[in-house]
Structure formats: C-alpha cells, structure tokens
Amino acid sequence: MLKIGIKKILFCLALAGLVVNQVSAQQMEHMWNGEGGNKPIAENRGKLFREGKYAMFIHWGIYSQLANTWKGKTFYGIGEWLMNKNMANIPVADYMAAAGSFRPDHFDAKAIVRLAKDAGMRYIVITSKHHDGFSMFHSKVNSFNIVEATDFKRDPMIELAKACKEGGIGFGFYYSQNQDWTYPGGNGGPKVNAAGQPKTFDDYFWEKCYPEVNQITTEYGPIELVWFDTPGGMDKKYAQKLVELVHKNQPGAFVSGRVGHGLGDYATLGDMEVPRQNVPGLWEAVDVTNDSWGYAWYDNNWKSAREILSRTLSTIGRGGTYMLNVGPKPDGTIPEPASLALRGAGAWIRKYPETVYGAQASPWGHALPWGDATVQGGKISLLVYHWPANGKLFVPGLTKGIKSINLLTSNGKKSLNYTFDGKWLKINTPGVAPDSLVSVIEVVMREMPVIDKMFGVDPAMETIVPVDFAEVEGCNKTGKSWMEKFGEWKHVVQVGQWTDESKLTYAIDIIKPGYYQIDLNYTGQGRMVWKIENSDGEIVQNQQAASSVYNWYPWGWMKFKAPGRYKITVSLVDGDADKLSLTALRFKSVE
C-alpha cells in the first residue's frame, strides 16, 4: 500500500468494498469545491461547527457488542466494518441475528453529555445508521432497529437528544446514505428481497434512506448537523435530495461534505488526518481516541490528554474543526481510559478557552518547532508543546506590532521580556513550563501584521520541515494515504518519481550560525545516496539504507556560516528511484 498513490489506493479499496470519500489536506488546497465549498450559508447555520471547533463523534451499534470477534476469532481493524468481507465476512442473516445479544443496559445519555462537556466539546454526533444497516433509533420503515430487533427496547437517540438539549450542547446524526449491507438494494447489500424479487439502489433510497433521514431530522429536536459518509458512486440526484431534505427540516443544520458531489456545507479531511499546512474554507478533521471507531476489545492504544490537546489545537491552528470519536463498550458506557484522557484535555481547555472557541488559524500557516498558534481578536496564543530548556522561545517572522507578551498561568498573567534578532522574536521564559500539558504565551498585538511564513530553524530544538513546503523540479509531490490495520489511516505528502535531474528546494532561516545535524525521512528499497546543499555551497552527501516504512536516517553535519536566509537543495545521486518516497528533512543544532 505504501508504494502507490492515493488515487490507486482509493480505486482498489472501492473494488474491495471499502468505498471511501476522503479528501486530503493537499487535495483540498487545490480543489476546495470538491467536497463541500465556500458557498453562502444561512447566518446561523452550523454556528457551533464554525465557533465551537471541538466535538464528540460516537460510533455505536451491534458491532460494539461483537467487539471485533466472530466465532471465537479476533479481527484486527476498525470495529464497525466487522461484517464486511475484508474483516469477518459475516452473512447477512447471521449478522442480523446477532442483534438479539445487543443489550447496552448501562447506556446513560446524561453521563455521555457530562463527559462531552467535561472534555470541552460543544456538540455530539452519533451513528444513527452505519454501513451495516442497523438503525440505532426506532425506525418507522426498517424493523432492523434497536427497539424492534433487540431486547433493549429503547430509542437511545431520544434520550441523547434530550440530554444534549438539557446540557446546553449541540446534537447531530451520522447516517450512512450509500452503503447498507443488510437492506436489499443498498450498496453492498443483498440484490433481492426476502421474496426473491430484485431490488435496486433506487428502491433502497426511497424505501429506507430518504424516509429515515426525514425521521431523524424531524423527530429529535434541533440538529446541529447531519454527517453523511462514503457516497461512492451514488448519483448526484440522490445526494441533492438529501441535502434539500436536511435544510428544509433543519434550516440551522450543516450537511457534511461526504454527502458527495460538492453539495455539503463544509469539507472533511481523510480519517485520522491532521494537516501540516493551513487549509482554506470550512472543514473538519475526524479522529479516534484509540485506533478503531467502533469498540474493539483489544484496542487499548489510547491517545493521552496531551496528544488529544495537541491534535485539537493543531487542527484549529490549521483553520479547522476537530471531531474526536469514542466507541462505547457493549454495556453502553465509554471506556475509562478515553474518559480520563478527554477530561484531562477538557480541564486544560477550561483554563484557556480563547485558544479553542472561535479561534482562528495560525498566521504562520504551519506548526512551529516548539508547538503551534491560534488567533483570537488582537491576540496570538503561542501553544508551547515543547518547553525550551534554555530559557528562550524563538519565534520566527514576528517582529512588528507587538504591544505586550504574557505567560498565562493558573494564577493569572505574567509579563515576559522579549527582544528582536533579525527576523526573529526572542521571548525570555521561566526555566520550568507552567503547564504540564501545553503552556500558553499570549502575544497582544497593536495590529496584526503579515507574518513571514518562513521556516525558521530553531537553535534550541529540532526543526522538521515537511516536503509540503518545498518547491520540486523533475519529480512529483503528491499526497499519499494507506492503512496500517484495516481502516486505520495514515497520511503524508511525499515526493516521488525521482530522476537524475530531480531536485527539491526549501527556503529556511538560520538565527544561530554553526553546524546542524540533518536527517531525512523516506521509504524505499536498497541503499540511497542523497546530496543536500545550501546556498553557501556547503554539501552533505551520504549513503544509507531504506525500508518499506518511513524512517528517519541521519545524513550528516552541515555548516551555516552566518545568520540569514538559505536555500536548501536536495537531490538523489544513486538508488532505486522508482521505489523512493521522501517526506521531510530535520535540522538540529550541534552543541
């Protein structure tokens, strides 16, 4: 999977039944109108999406009870796809019969809302029907639902909608509009009904999909958004009908870009993707608290509060909204490790709400070596993930318009001294970080200047420069996505298709002259010889091995004789160019 491009990956997965409609950050930059667009919206439509910036996603269904096991065997991958032929390949009749064992007797809508609020999330989106076709509400047109097909006999969506309203947070539904593996005519489902009569997608759409979407948008109170998914090859006429229905029934609700055909109100990046550069328009990143969306018994690879925070803040720093998934256990409760991490991150957000709610993208357009930034009004919040041990925070490109700089602490604000050095701002910082998760330095501006988006090489900590920000000649820069486990997506921007004439060029800024260790991140086959040259004529050339996964490889020391702007050029001298994929350079000052 690592050796082919995103278009080939998606084509192969579509043939295999994993019909996806993800759009990468790089694709969005060049073709924004493909998955939702900058179209005019009603004044209050999607208000919580646009201002709240942080939401809870919930994947919950029969698959939660099965927990990635079938007939005594564990299947590793995303739990909600357990029925699919790429996982357990469960026959339709057997899967539908499994609904009888679904008894989430400890489901507590109020407890879930309390968790979302404690986490700092502003709305909840839950699966009303996933690809398996099981309705998690009392469907009027489909008896394969949680009230009629299980002994639970309750409509939990009524309870959750009510709890959200009482708790003062937004509520929304996920609905799989194209794939339905159990209803005749649905994409991936049976081709005939119980009587043996042929069924088409049109039958499925009008018998089940359209009336169910009508039901979830009319019987559960105000809805913040409807999150459609995997439109695949569904005709535009169907997508248009769904968008019109949602906006008619819920004028204040957004429709996700995954309704297809550019008809959504906003865009969604690829699953589990936080972009490396700012993305224009209205968009979201969707992520998981561990590795699977639906509950999997073995999946204890939890994100810590610190990781949740950094991914949330960096998504907002790139200009987006972050929606983070939890998968309830078979009894209906949220796994304790996820709850602990979410509450830890939420306690931090309560201290620094201005960094999240209503915050705008970083003026740098990308992450910084020590962390990230968001903007609120006339203030820039510097979000320090890695606290400087030398007592100085180096900020590239910000040298005008500063009124004051303050360290935010639990006891209030503390003024910090600062100086300028060329195109750099140097902030004097305490020796110990004031916050164990993420520390915040507030820069109050007289006016918001145009910041030099240069990549400044930090003299005190390593600086990673992704190929996203390089100019390429004679080679190809593209996005690439692959799955580590089934459905566990990874995303990079990479440079491939190298030749003897290819080169990659960066502009970087050096504040501290001297030697810097340079490393390369790539995948390939055999041994590679790379040459790295700066505009002073200094060259680092070496040979290192390659492997089938991305790794960092040390390349050597490069000397920078004076402070200032340098051009860095990377070229391939020898190696199997067809197998090569380069993603980033790393610089670290040699003490």
Side-chain angles (χ1 to χ4, degrees), residues 2-3 523-525 546-551 553:
L2 286 172
K3 300 175 183 179
T523 182
Q525 184 172 304
S547 73
S548 60
V549 297
Y550 289 103
N551 280 316
Y553 296 93

Side-chain angles (χ1 to χ4, degrees), residues 488-555:
E488 182 189 337
W489 286 95
K490 304 295 180 183
H491 309 270
V492 297
V493 174
Q494 58 87 44
V495 176
Q497 299 180 5
W498 290 79
T499 70
D500 293 341
E501 305 300 319
S502 300
K503 64 179 180 180
L504 176 150
T505 305
Y506 290 106
I508 65 170
D509 200 276
I510 297 290
I511 185 174
K512 175 187 172 184
Y515 285 100
Y516 286 78
Q517 169 70 36
I518 301 182
D519 306 327
L520 295 173
N521 188 275
Y522 62 87
T523 182
Q525 184 172 304
R527 294 184 176 88
M528 301 294 167
V529 178
W530 294 96
K531 180 170 76 170
I532 308 169
E533 184 174 5
N534 73 23
S535 46
D536 261 356
E538 297 285 337
I539 294 174
V540 172
Q541 184 168 314
N542 203 344
Q543 182 190 68
Q544 295 286 8
S547 73
S548 60
V549 297
Y550 289 103
N551 280 316
W552 285 106
Y553 296 93
W555 228 253

Side-chain angles (χ1 to χ4, degrees), residues 60 64-65 101-108 152 154 295 327-335:
W60 189 38
S64 309
Q65 178 70 37
S101 65
F102 188 38
R103 287 287 301 270
D105 290 332
H106 292 285
F107 171 77
D108 184 341
F152 188 59
R154 286 157 48 192
Y295 178 76
K329 297 193 296 185
D331 65 359
T333 62
I334 305 298

Side-chain angles (χ1 to χ4, degrees), residues 404-433:
S404 65
I405 299 181
N406 307 297
L407 179 65
L408 304 189
T409 71
S410 56
N411 297 320
K413 299 180 180 181
K414 177 183 178 182
S415 179
L416 296 178
N417 294 322
Y418 58 93
T419 57
F420 300 107
D421 188 342
K423 294 186 176 181
W424 293 73
L425 165 67
K426 295 195 298 186
I427 304 173
N428 295 327
T429 56
V432 178

Side-chain angles (χ1 to χ4, degrees), residues 429-446:
T429 56
V432 178
D435 199 292
S436 60
L437 294 179
V438 177
S439 296
V440 181
I441 295 176
E442 174 191 82
V443 182
V444 182
M445 307 299 297
R446 291 190 180 90

Side-chain angles (χ1 to χ4, degrees), residues 449-482:
V450 176
I451 291 177
D452 190 335
K453 295 181 173 64
M454 67 186 185
F455 262 92
V457 177
D458 197 292
M461 56 186 71
E462 69 180 27
T463 301
I464 294 175
V465 188
V467 299
D468 310 47
F469 305 95
E471 298 294 329
V472 298
E473 182 179 330
C475 44
N476 191 24
K477 180 168 66 171
T478 61
K480 182 163 72 171
S481 301
W482 69 96

Side-chain angles (χ1 to χ4, degrees), residues 204-346:
Y204 152 75
F205 183 83
W206 292 111
E207 292 173 8
K208 182 179 182 183
C209 176
Y210 190 86
E212 284 198 333
V213 173
N214 184 62
Q215 184 178 346
I216 63 175
T217 55
T218 55
E219 297 189 2
Y220 295 88
I223 302 246
E224 179 63 23
L225 61 86
V226 177
W227 210 93
F228 294 107
D229 197 13
T230 64
M234 190 177 78
D235 287 348
K236 184 176 182 178
K237 64 181 180 181
Y238 298 118
Q240 186 69 59
K241 287 292 184 182
L242 292 176
V243 173
E244 292 170 354
L245 180 65
V246 174
H247 286 166
K248 172 179 172 288
N249 292 342
Q250 296 282 341
F254 263 179
V255 173
S256 74
R258 292 193 188 180
V259 73
H261 300 284
L263 297 174
D265 294 304
Y266 67 91
T268 300
L269 297 192
D271 291 354
M272 310 173 189
E273 178 183 16
V274 175
R276 286 162 292 278
Q277 58 183 310
N278 287 15
V279 177
L282 288 171
W283 59 273
E284 69 181 350
V286 289
D287 208 353
V288 286
T289 46
N290 46 357
D291 291 336
S292 176
W293 304 90
Y295 178 76
W297 74 264
Y298 63 84
D299 189 358
N300 290 305
N301 188 28
W302 302 103
K303 290 179 175 63
S304 66
R306 180 183 175 88
E307 188 175 2
I308 288 172
L309 262 182
S310 64
R311 291 177 73 82
T312 303
L313 294 170
S314 288
T315 298
I316 298 169
R318 303 288 72 75
T321 290
Y322 189 66
M323 187 159 67
L324 182 61
N325 183 76
V326 293
K329 297 193 296 185
D331 65 359
T333 62
I334 305 298
E336 184 180 14
S339 298
L340 290 172
L342 288 170
R343 287 194 166 97

